[in-house]
Amino acid sequence: FENGKTQLFNSRGVVLKIIKHYQEEGQGSEVVQGVLLGLVVEDRLEITNCFPFPQHTEDDVDFDEVQYQMEMMRSLRHVNIDHLHVGWYQSTYYGSFVSRALLDSQFSYQHAIEESVVLIYDPIKTAQGSLCLKAYRLTPKLMEICKEKDFSPEALKKACIGYEHMLEEVPIVIKNSHLINVLLLDLQEKSTVADKPELLNLSSSNHLEKSLQLLMDRVDGMSQEIVKYNTYCRNLTKQQQQKQQYLQRRQQENTQRQSRGEPPLPEEDINKMFKPPQAPPRMDTLLIAGQVNNYCQNIKAFTSQNLGKLFMAEALQGHSS
Amino acid sequence: MNQCDWQGATARIPWRPALSFSSSPFVTILHFLYKIMAVHGPFVKIHPVVLASIVDSYERRNEGASRVIGTLLGTADKHSVEVTNCFSVPHNESEDEVAVDMEFAKNMYELHKKVSPSEVIIGWYATGYDITEHSVLIHEYYSREAPNPIHMTVDTALQSNKMNIRAYVSSQMGVPGKTVGVMFTPLTIKYIYYDTERIGVDLLQRTRASPSRTNGLTTDLAQVASAAGHVQEMLSTMLSYIEDVLSGKVMADNSVGRYLMDLVNKVPKITAEDFESMLNSNINDLLMVTYLANLTQAQIALNEKLVVL
């Protein structure tokens, strides 16, 4: 498996269904989720269908997700649709999806089926002109760590995981069948031309503001974590020093007592006296770092696009002036 | 009954069963109907996701089945119907009888309703070119489920070299009181997209153009470049048209001329210095943001290394 399954074949119906699901159900910053179905073929993962999950509402307490899934898959099997669970999809708000919940869900999926992926669909970026759909999978190293559930600094140090090695991106390829090509041809003739090519829109400050705000929040969170870790380190060293001092004093006392002929003081259990401070779990820090990295990359891509657009506008002005 | 709403279909003659039997007022009313029919008809708005699902289920049909049927879901209001979702229903068809798995249809509808409670059954679809007698039976079943269902056919066998997508509604036919038949009257179809859907479909159109029928999702700057190329193409088409008109080859069209005026006026007229300063400030903003993003990334990388020490 290790380096295989590098490509993801997505059939167009899936793309459209995901878009539609978000459009109809997800408003604001809620996420919509659903399940991906498909097959594994040689070194490719083919996604051929998907169905959405209903939203969690407060008055729907007795709603059983697992049952819903089972029923859907059984029904789909009747109509010859591949019913192999190969992953799940989620919409995201400005690219903020690297979270504990995502990690946990993806881990459980990947544990069951090795090649499963999570498709992240960014509706806001898509509305700006180009489909933004990315597929991610947890790296094998991260899988191991999740299995052990050991998030202390030492374990992470051993595994040498950096925030860049948490999720690996899988390239997506979209494949159309011939019949769908005919359909598209038909559609193109009959439908009206899009009247606003959003991609060339120059007003970008709103989007930039939002992204930067989210980035700042994350960086704040990050600095908090760093402070926590630093205090932990300092406490640890202080404690070591205290331990040493105590041991030394003990030694001195013992030699004094011996010289006076008294029995030495019993060796007390130092560990009980100096309980080592709790090591903060590093997983959250990793997640935040990964999220910050994601934001930065998105922002950079966005600014490069905008620069291109600005230069185009300049060329236009240059002609008319 | 709801049938009155649908009587405004185009091009066929619906018969009103509630009318009297004498001929002359009937004829005048028929004339009147003709007039309103020609003006507008109820529309069926279809989302491309529905068509994609239909084609997909056709490709996965069982061996020996020549066509596939399924349910259409969506919303309906007074003048138009919007089809937003669909699912296929297993069925068996032979010469003299047809069996459709209704339990399955009901189950699927319940499941779908949990996700999007606003969708209702508004009709059914079938692949294939003609409407057969079996369709009438199936249609009757669906009329029990939904008020005035729509029947849609998608010609996947490509009989006329095109995928004909048509929609029909049924109406009563015949002399009331005696034998009644059912006739399917066609409706006009419009394709409607959400904005994001349109972008998805555009991407898929590009996939169509590539020879191996596959396409990767392009990087950001490349997208701007391709959009720019698009605009350039459109401009060159326009330029060639203008040159033709100027040299007298083509008749000048006033409305096109007006659009051209609009276009030229849309480029805002700003003095050179103002534009320079605006451009520079924008570029500075973007560069600063890029710098900050890079700085942040370097910071977290550094932090990572320090922790591992």
Side-chain angles (χ1 to χ4, degrees), chain A residues 80 177 186 188 293 300, chain B residues 59 62 163 208 294 297:
Chain A
N80 294 344
S177 66
D186 222 23
Q188 199 172 32
N293 192 31
K300 282 201 288 194
Chain B
E59 287 178 353
N62 283 321
M163 195 178 271
R208 176 168 62 96
N294 277 331
Q297 274 186 313

Side-chain angles (χ1 to χ4, degrees), chain A residues 57-96:
Chain A
T57 49
E58 295 86 31
D59 45 317
D60 235 1
V61 181
D62 51 349
F63 176 72
D64 194 359
E65 255 187 38
V66 180
Q67 197 198 22
Y68 172 79
Q69 225 172 312
M70 288 285 112
E71 287 237 11
M72 265 309 226
M73 305 219 322
R74 220 181 312 144
S75 318
L76 289 176
R77 204 186 354 219
H78 275 275
V79 284
N80 294 344
I81 295 185
D82 306 318
H83 53 275
L84 183 61
H85 232 151
V86 293
W88 58 301
Y89 68 86
Q90 182 178 310
S91 74
T92 170
Y93 181 66
Y94 280 110
S96 53

